[in-house]
Amino acid sequence: MKTLTAARAARLASTAATGPDRGVLARRAWRLLLAAGDAGDREAIDAVWHQWLREPRQDAFDALRRWRPGFVREVCSLAVSPTVGPASRARMAAICVEQGIAPDDAAERVVFHLLTGQFEKVHDSDPALLAEGYQTADPALRAMLRDALAADGDFDLPGFSARTTSPTTRPDSSPATSPRPATGTACGGSPRNCRCARRSRPCAGSTTGAPTTRRGGRCSRGWPAATLT
């Protein structure tokens, strides 16, 4: 099969975005893109990805999940990235909840659940993971996490901050090059004490945050290259 040019792939993606059930041209454009994407055509895959960012559709989601190995991680990243506009971030978060997707890393996942308002999952997680996620976050993400935690008066923010910033040493008493995960929780002992974890409505700042990239053997939050507005 002949590969598509970037311009043609973009035109087909725009035409197909009207939906597979909304006209002959849209259905034909989508069939062409599917065939090209399944054949590994990067222009087709990129065109569907960029169109999906503007207009998410289930059929495109399913195709992109097959075509892009890091697709789930990218979507989770966009759902909590501060470089993404609030409306788009909330839309990505809703897609993550609907599709039941989340980051693979345990600490990253609990941070993701907190920042996307999935408080019952935070409640069911290991209490140490939130502190670990906070420790490994960059300053911008730490501020977002504090905003999310501060939305409920039951959170012991001063105690949480003290536990996650206190100096630690390695078992051989040599200075640690990076802090160890704290064992405290944002709720002063157990997430079960937190109203935020029991209620269904998201707290303020619940769709801000970021995924992680590896640095120095630990996770450091960073943002995907794709940016929404």
Side-chain angles (χ1 to χ4, degrees):
M1 178 179 177
K2 186 177 179 181
T3 59
L4 301 175
T5 65
R8 184 164 188 238
R11 287 195 299 271
L12 288 172
S14 179
T15 301
T18 58
D21 301 321
R22 294 187 182 180
V24 174
L25 289 178
R27 292 195 297 271
R28 180 176 181 276
W30 183 239
R31 285 196 302 270
L32 289 171
L33 287 168
L34 278 178
D38 287 340
D41 189 323
R42 295 307 310 173
E43 298 295 353
I45 293 170
D46 288 346
V48 172
W49 163 245
H50 290 297
Q51 186 64 44
W52 182 84
L53 290 175
R54 292 188 288 271
E55 301 178 72
R57 303 194 328 267
Q58 183 64 49
D59 54 353
F61 179 95
D62 294 338
L64 288 165
R65 197 167 187 176
R66 292 198 311 273
W67 297 338
R68 293 173 70 98
F71 175 66
V72 168
R73 184 176 181 83
E74 289 174 308
V75 176
C76 291
S77 299
L78 292 169
V80 294
S81 172
T83 64
V84 173
S88 293
R89 189 167 58 241
R91 187 169 72 245
M92 292 296 112
I95 290 170
C96 290
V97 173
E98 179 182 350
Q99 299 291 337
I101 59 177
D104 291 331
D105 178 79
E108 183 182 342
R109 186 164 56 248
V110 72
V111 167
F112 171 84
H113 285 152
L114 173 64
L115 296 173
T116 55
Q118 300 181 68
F119 300 113
E120 286 301 322
K121 293 182 178 179
V122 178
H123 164 83
D124 291 336
S125 66
D126 182 344
L129 290 172
L130 182 57
E132 179 182 350
Y134 182 89
Q135 280 189 315
T136 58
D138 63 22
L141 181 56
R142 287 189 178 197
M144 295 167 194
L145 287 168
R146 286 194 298 270
D147 287 345
L149 295 172
D152 192 295
D154 286 346
F155 283 117
D156 177 19
L157 268 183
F160 176 75
S161 297
R163 284 188 292 271
T164 55
T165 58
S166 60
T168 61
T169 57
R170 297 185 185 279
D172 61 1
S173 298
S174 60
T177 56
S178 61
R180 287 174 163 236
T183 57
T185 70
C187 305
S190 168
R192 297 179 185 276
N193 296 327
C194 171
R195 284 202 312 271
C196 197
R198 296 195 301 270
R199 67 190 182 193
S200 58
R201 66 179 180 85
C203 64
S206 65
T207 56
T208 59
T212 67
T213 55
R214 294 288 173 183
R215 181 178 63 192
R218 297 302 304 155
C219 295
S220 175
R221 265 58 183 181
W223 317 122
T227 301
L228 303 179
T229 57

